[in-house]
Amino acid sequence: MTAVTDAPVLDVRAVTKTYGTGDTAVRALRGVSLTVRRGDYVAIMGASGSGKSTLMNILGCLDVPTGGGYRIDGTDVGALDERQLAILRNRKIGFVFQSFNLIPRMSALANVELPLAYGGVGAAVRRRRALAALGQVGLSDRVHHEPNELSGGQQQRVAIARALVTAPALLLADEPTGNLDTHSTADVLRILDDLSAGGRTIVLITHEDDVAAHAGRVIRLVDGEVVEDRRRTGVPGAAR
């Protein structure tokens, strides 16, 4: 799974997803095609039932399409077996979920180290990289706190650090501010803005216009189809 350095981070070609068969079949995605370049900051928007969560699961290799195909960082996802998919998810994609998905009885530091542990990285290197990632999100003073000792915004920042620690090709964030108050939302969006300004490739799933306004490109889905794909100027992640 060697990356092609000049390849798009995401190259999605006519992807479809159908649940069920016959009269009860639901066509969640109807031929979605899109390309995400290195350094893009993309917001994928849509109402409930638009297909955005299905698309997120496929982009994150958590589900497989019914038809079409896609590449991540030059790798043809359809050609991979389950073991290879797990390796790709660990190395190429950093996930940030609405519900944080932190391990309750583990410190922030241990939570951030987890993807590196799964990837076979040695303890000393894990510790160094996890501390650096927590510092990047402003939590150097919370490394030994467990999730129940952290605010919602701090927990989401731990989750972002965990997503960054493997230096993934893609940061995939699914409604990352959905469980946060206004102040914490601003903190998380500021971190994503800074990451984008530093060249990080981000795909953000959201239904909120004010969150999508931080992205340099907005893709809107309706009934499983892309109905809008526009670039914005003057914001992080706009055309480079």
Side-chain angles (χ1 to χ4, degrees), residues 3-172:
V4 181
T5 54
D6 59 349
V9 173
L10 283 175
D11 187 9
V12 178
R13 305 283 181 92
V15 161
T16 63
K17 182 66 178 182
T18 303
Y19 297 100
T21 59
D23 293 340
T24 62
V26 175
R27 297 175 64 195
L29 295 177
R30 302 167 182 253
V32 171
S33 296
L34 60 94
T35 300
V36 176
R37 300 198 304 255
R38 209 164 305 278
D40 269 353
Y41 185 178
V42 181
I44 297 178
M45 300 193 70
S48 178
S50 65
K52 67 181 188 299
S53 293
T54 299
L55 180 59
M56 192 281 295
N57 287 334
I58 289 174
L59 297 182
C61 301
L62 301 171
D63 197 0
V64 295
T66 304
Y70 64 113
R71 293 176 178 267
I72 294 180
D73 206 26
T75 298
D76 183 357
V77 175
L80 304 181
D81 60 27
E82 285 299 323
R83 176 180 169 277
Q84 291 169 323
L85 277 174
I87 293 171
L88 182 140
R89 280 193 298 266
N90 179 266
R91 295 180 180 174
K92 297 290 187 181
I93 306 170
F95 293 95
V96 181
F97 297 101
Q98 178 175 340
S99 56
F100 319 140
N101 286 10
L102 302 178
I103 307 299
R105 297 294 183 180
M106 295 176 65
S107 68
L109 182 60
N111 267 283
V112 175
E113 286 182 339
L114 267 180
L116 298 176
Y118 292 147
V121 177
V125 176
R126 289 201 310 263
R127 177 66 51 98
R128 183 173 71 250
R129 288 173 62 176
L131 286 170
L134 285 163
Q136 194 172 1
V137 298
L139 289 177
S140 294
D141 59 342
R142 294 288 188 272
V143 297
H144 299 299
H145 288 62
E146 295 180 359
N148 66 354
E149 300 172 314
L150 301 172
S151 69
Q154 289 170 336
Q155 289 184 62
Q156 192 61 294
R157 283 190 276 158
V158 172
I160 293 172
R162 181 184 57 193
L164 294 173
V165 76
T166 59
L170 172 68
L171 186 64
L172 189 57

Side-chain angles (χ1 to χ4, degrees), residues 30-34 55 219-229:
R30 302 167 182 253
V32 171
S33 296
L34 60 94
L55 180 59
I219 295 172
R220 194 177 299 272
L221 295 179
V222 173
D223 294 334
E225 296 180 298
V226 174
V227 298
E228 179 184 21
D229 185 350

